[in-house]
Amino acid sequence: QLQLQESGPGLVKPSETLSLTCTVSGGSISSSSYYWAWIRQPPGKGLEWIGIIYYGGTTYYNPSLKSRVTISVDTSKNQFSLKVTSVTAADTAVYYCARRLLAAAPPGHWYFDLWGRGTLVTVSS
Amino acid sequence: DIQMTQSPSSLSASVGDRVTITCRASQGISNYLAWFQQKPGKAPKSLIYAASSLQSGVPSKFSGSGSGTDFTLTISSLQPEDLATYYCQQYKSYPLTFGGGTKVEIK
């Protein structure tokens, strides 16, 4: 069964770059039926979509973060990654990676069906 | 951006009660809507997609309905294990957006 696991530093200093990796196990990242996403949740708050990537490299970002975010994919390692530059305390959150699946039916429905456990990243000096 | 508004933000109900959560989109999204359950300290879990399609393995006590701008998630008979925050999410267009969440508590 496919699983997602986030990894990376739990503490990042203000103005530095946050870097996380999501490792996909039990299946291939290179499928035309999947997109791969990053979503975050500040402590005690709701969910915010950060961005998404297709195995071929096509990306879409949340405009609120677009100038600071890069998502990339490494199909040889079955991983995709997130970088957020110039972080502040407002970037403190649990970061989740997730799979966006093309439903078998009805047609055209791409939805988040699988999530990693999440990793807490704190921005503090 | 499409704004998603959930109501209520929290509710308290008794075991066995029927619970309904509402989600409203700021513009029409057809049925491109999903619902998630997030238990305390855990990752969100997919419940429903395409507004009313039940994710594999999810109990049939959960159901979704709606189209256009107004959607509902119903729990037919609330159980203690349903204590969680529930989120709606539209995937009609980018940026993908979530509702603010509805926290369900057991009386």
Side-chain angles (χ1 to χ4, degrees), chain A residues 35 39 41 45-49 52 60 62-63 96 100 103 105-113 115-117, chain B residues 1 31-34 36 38 42-46 48-50 53 55 87 89 91 94-100:
Chain A
Y35 276 86
I39 297 155
Q41 185 172 37
K45 296 188 178 180
L47 299 163
E48 179 182 34
W49 173 70
I52 203 163
Y60 299 94
N62 192 325
Y96 295 101
R100 193 182 185 200
H109 283 262
W110 291 86
Y111 71 101
F112 293 124
D113 74 315
W115 297 61
R117 291 186 174 183
Chain B
D1 298 6
N31 64 339
Y32 292 90
L33 184 102
F36 300 92
Q38 186 177 34
K42 301 294 187 182
K45 172 188 172 185
S46 172
I48 285 169
Y49 63 96
S53 296
Q55 173 71 357
Y87 293 93
Q89 180 241 327
Y91 53 91
Y94 293 114
L96 307 179
T97 49
F98 292 86

Side-chain angles (χ1 to χ4, degrees), chain B residues 11-103:
Chain B
L11 66 89
S12 181
S14 300
V15 172
D17 282 354
R18 182 181 182 89
V19 170
T20 298
I21 298 167
T22 297
C23 177
R24 175 164 289 175
S26 61
Q27 59 187 266
I29 59 170
S30 183
N31 64 339
Y32 292 90
L33 184 102
W35 288 97
F36 300 92
Q37 175 193 62
Q38 186 177 34
K39 294 185 177 180
K42 301 294 187 182
K45 172 188 172 185
S46 172
L47 294 178
I48 285 169
Y49 63 96
S52 60
S53 296
L54 202 63
Q55 173 71 357
S56 176
V58 173
S60 59
K61 64 179 175 180
F62 292 98
S63 63
S65 65
S67 184
T69 60
D70 295 316
F71 303 87
T72 59
L73 172 70
T74 299
I75 308 173
S76 61
S77 177
L78 190 68
Q79 298 301 310
E81 63 267 24
D82 301 327
L83 178 141
T85 300
Y86 295 83
Y87 293 93
C88 62
Q89 180 241 327
Q90 68 81 21
Y91 53 91
K92 176 71 165 65
S93 65
Y94 293 114
L96 307 179
T97 49
F98 292 86
T102 296
K103 187 174 185 178

Side-chain angles (χ1 to χ4, degrees), chain A residues 29-53:
Chain A
I29 202 170
S30 302
S31 167
S32 59
S33 296
Y34 308 145
Y35 276 86
W36 305 96
W38 288 98
I39 297 155
R40 70 181 183 179
Q41 185 172 37
K45 296 188 178 180
L47 299 163
E48 179 182 34
W49 173 70
I50 299 170
I52 203 163
I53 191 165

